[in-house]
Amino acid sequence: MAGFTGIVILLLWLLQVVFLGTIHRNVRISEVKDIARRLASYTEAPITLESKAQKLANSKSVCIIAYRFDKNRATEMFSCDAAENCVIHSLEKGELISMHDKAKANGGKLLCYYSYDNEKNKYELTSEVSDGQSIVYSFIVKDARGNDMLFIINAYVAPVASTVRTLNYLLIIISITMITLSVILTLILSSSITKPITKINASAKELANGNYNAAFEGGSYREAEELSETLTYAASELSRVEKLRSELIANTTHDLRTPLTMITGYAELMRDLEGENTPENAAIIADEAKRMTSLVNDMLEISKLENGVAKANIEQFNLTEAVTAEIEKYQEFCRKDGYILRFEASESVVVKTDRTKITRALLNLVNNALTYTGTDKTVIVRQERYFNGEKDVLRYSVIDSGEGIPEDKLPLIWDRYYKVDSPHKRSAQGSGLGLSIVNKLMTLIGGRCGVLSSNGNGSIFWIEIDV
Ligand code: ADP
């Protein structure tokens, strides 16, 4: 701010004090030359020339004398006297006429300066240029008959010393005012810019220490306001993540504790009580351990998918054959428990996608369908290929005859750890991660998933990819 004020004052000083004389003189010279140009143009109408010249002389405070030369005889055409400290009206006629030759030798125009010599008490030609001088500009124009017309214009360049003194005085006042104002302005600006930043910084430190409710107050200007809004948003996101983290810990510890309690309980029972060391009890321990393994696997898989570690491994292969093979593996378990798992496909389709991820997603749905299907214990997997208006799409629908899902719960089932409260025995055993994994797998490979279901009418879970 001080630098800026300094530059403004320096500029004012240079223009108004140092160069004032030069600028004033140059302005006067260019005025005189402009008068000369106009006079030259007026010569085309000789009758009005004198009155126009008089007007010009009056308006610009200059003197003009014009001569016509006829066979080297000079006759005065007119003379206008409107300048202070006029030189040309105090010169001899011979001296004025001699300017004709000098101008002619100089290409038809001549600019010279006169200053008053106090000793000789008259104006003398000078080569030095300074204020308080008179400018005399002579120029020659041809009239209609080809005779020379000599115009001599005289303008006084007033001395600027007293003006400079006044301006100097004004400049001191301006400088003091500007410096005071700039100091005040700097103080106001710095306090209005730094104060909100300092406050925001203090709140940011609180946030770093774990206080997610730290209030970010913007302040008087837009950028600080935006910064505090961004930080408030960041704080709310951090608190959401923190909440999710604690929920995750709570959920996983809860889910792990149940099988662990069962395993410990049954193991102790078998160790301490004779007759309890039965294959049934051992099977319970094995089942619980398996459930825990699958839960841990699910948790690892979802964290990989969420962290972006999992990458799609795209290859070209026959998906219908791959699904047939996977379902074949399931058939054995199904037949053993009396379940019917049917795969319906009218054609064999080759696709480009991640084999493991898409079959994993489909089998998750098949698993759920087998868990929740109705008394007919039937699950149908149907492959359909259709054109959705833009692309060829391959869809796998997994259809069960179970209780279905209430409509209001449908959007929630894809969330992590969400389980629909149900008296169904096995639903309580799930991790609540299955559908969330399906959703993430399908997003990763650029596919989609969804569900059609209503209470009491079974469910159709589907996944699809572009062919
Ligand atoms: P879970 O391990 O509990 O099955 P999921 O994420 O796979 O977790 O499913 C979330 C919830 O969606 C389940 O708890 C269940 O209530 C409901 N659900 C999933 N599939 C079906 C289905 N085929 N029929 C009825 N409900 C289902």
Side-chain angles (χ1 to χ4, degrees):
M1 211 57 177
F4 175 72
T5 314
I7 289 170
V8 171
I9 293 170
L10 182 72
L11 214 63
L12 278 175
W13 179 71
L14 282 176
L15 290 178
Q16 297 207 331
V17 175
V18 180
F19 298 123
L20 184 68
T22 321
I23 293 168
H24 177 55
R25 198 164 44 247
N26 287 337
V27 167
R28 208 66 180 122
I29 291 172
S30 67
E31 264 178 13
V32 166
K33 287 185 175 169
D34 182 53
I35 293 169
R37 263 192 301 279
R38 290 211 217 165
L39 278 176
S41 71
Y42 297 158
T43 55
E44 283 160 20
I47 303 167
T48 54
L49 177 61
E50 185 178 346
S51 67
K52 282 184 177 169
Q54 187 65 56
K55 261 192 210 155
L56 260 183
N58 290 342
S59 69
K60 300 284 178 186
S61 305
V62 294
C63 287
I64 305 171
I65 299 180
Y67 286 101
R68 189 188 301 281
F69 286 79
D70 193 358
K71 293 187 192 108
N72 283 342
R73 239 174 56 86
T75 4
E76 188 178 302
M77 289 160 64
F78 60 83
S79 161
C80 316
D81 189 356
E84 56 172 321
N85 303 328
C86 175
V87 177
I88 53 176
H89 282 100
S90 68
L91 292 179
E92 300 284 320
K93 185 182 174 189
E95 228 173 313
L96 288 174
I97 290 169
S98 73
M99 284 183 191
H100 174 253
D101 298 332
K102 287 184 199 161
K104 209 163 194 174
N106 198 41
K109 49 192 164 192
L110 179 71
L111 178 71
C112 44
Y113 309 99
Y114 282 82
S115 59
Y116 195 74
D117 189 331
N118 284 324
E119 281 171 22
K120 292 184 188 162
N121 233 1
K122 64 177 208 154
Y123 284 100
E124 286 284 327
L125 203 57
T126 172
S127 57
E128 276 172 43
V129 188
S130 70
D131 51 349
Q133 285 178 338
S134 274
I135 304 165
V136 175
Y137 187 63
S138 344
F139 66 101
I140 300 166
V141 182
K142 293 267 184 216
D143 70 4
R145 285 188 290 150
N147 290 327
D148 282 355
M149 285 188 285
L150 171 70
F151 292 91
I152 306 167
I153 307 168
N154 178 193
Y156 179 63
V157 182
V160 291
S162 69
T163 318
V164 167
R165 270 197 303 281
T166 317
L167 286 174
N168 259 336
Y169 176 68
L170 288 177
L171 209 61
I172 291 170
I173 297 175
I174 289 174
S175 303
I176 294 170
T177 319
M178 288 280 283
I179 288 166
T180 319
L181 278 180
S182 76
V183 168
I184 295 170
L185 203 63
T186 309
L187 288 177
I188 294 172
L189 278 181
S190 74
S191 78
S192 69
I193 289 172
T194 53
K195 252 190 205 150
I197 301 270
T198 318
K199 267 202 218 160
I200 291 172
N201 191 30
S203 305
K205 278 183 188 157
E206 271 186 54
L207 177 64
N209 287 333
N211 176 9
Y212 300 115
N213 296 322
F216 290 94
E217 277 163 34
S220 39
Y221 60 103
R222 191 166 52 103
E223 286 78 4
E225 199 67 56
E226 276 175 14
L227 177 63
S228 62
E229 273 168 22
T230 311
L231 285 170
T232 309
Y233 176 66
S236 78
E237 282 297 290
L238 277 174
S239 106
R240 203 172 62 85
V241 170
E242 178 61 23
K243 208 172 132 220
L244 277 179
R245 197 177 65 91
S246 8
E247 262 176 25
L248 185 82
I249 292 174
N251 281 331
T252 46
T253 42
H254 174 262
D255 283 348
L256 287 175
R257 199 178 292 137
T258 319
L260 277 175
T261 317
M262 296 276 276
I263 291 170
T264 331
Y266 275 90
E268 281 172 357
L269 197 72
M270 288 163 75
R271 184 195 61 195
D272 298 341
L273 294 179
E274 249 179 71
E276 286 295 336
N277 200 345
T278 60
E280 290 78 26
N281 284 351
I284 291 175
I285 291 179
D287 278 353
E288 288 303 318
K290 247 189 255 160
R291 204 154 79 82
M292 213 163 73
T293 312
S294 94
L295 176 64
V296 170
N297 283 343
D298 278 358
M299 279 167 18
L300 281 178
E301 177 148 18
I302 204 139
S303 87
K304 261 198 249 163
L305 286 167
E306 283 181 352
N307 291 343
V309 180
K311 294 268 176 301
N313 183 17
I314 305 294
E315 56 179 315
Q316 185 162 328
F317 64 98
N318 189 318
L319 183 55
T320 316
E321 281 173 14
V323 170
T324 313
E326 290 296 334
I327 287 191
E328 201 49 51
K329 283 188 213 162
Y330 254 76
Q331 294 292 14
E332 204 174 313
F333 297 108
C334 293
R335 267 183 235 121
K336 206 167 69 188
D337 292 341
Y339 284 91
I340 301 162
L341 178 59
R342 240 188 6 248
F343 179 43
E344 299 174 357
S346 56
E347 59 175 318
S348 211
V349 186
V350 174
V351 293
K352 252 185 169 177
T353 186
D354 185 314
R355 182 197 294 262
T356 327
K357 299 209 164 54
I358 192 159
T359 48
R360 172 93 169 87
L362 183 64
L363 291 183
N364 264 12
L365 296 184
V366 171
N367 230 352
N368 276 357
L370 287 170
T371 309
Y372 296 105
T373 195
T375 44
D376 64 353
K377 290 193 164 186
T378 304
V379 170
I380 298 167
V381 179
R382 186 174 292 152
Q383 175 191 288
E384 286 155 311
R385 184 179 179 158
Y386 69 98
F387 185 69
N388 70 357
E390 278 177 34
K391 291 172 204 154
D392 240 359
V393 173
L394 188 66
R395 176 182 280 211
Y396 287 90
S397 306
V398 182
I399 307 157
D400 69 58
S401 58
E403 290 169 12
I405 303 161
E407 218 157 302
D408 57 321
K409 301 286 185 326
L410 283 180
L412 306 173
I413 54 173
W414 307 93
D415 288 351
R416 278 186 307 173
Y417 295 109
Y418 185 81
K419 296 179 200 169
V420 180
D421 283 333
S422 133
H424 198 292
K425 185 181 145 263
R426 287 174 67 189
S427 75
Q429 292 180 1
S431 65
L433 290 173
L435 290 179
S436 176
I437 291 176
V438 171
N439 189 15
K440 290 198 163 54
L441 285 170
M442 291 313 292
T443 311
L444 184 69
I445 63 173
R448 297 162 291 279
C449 57
V451 60
L452 299 168
S453 181
S454 62
N455 226 352
N457 293 321
S459 316
I460 305 175
F461 278 85
W462 56 263
I463 54 170
E464 64 177 28
I465 50 164
D466 301 332
V467 177

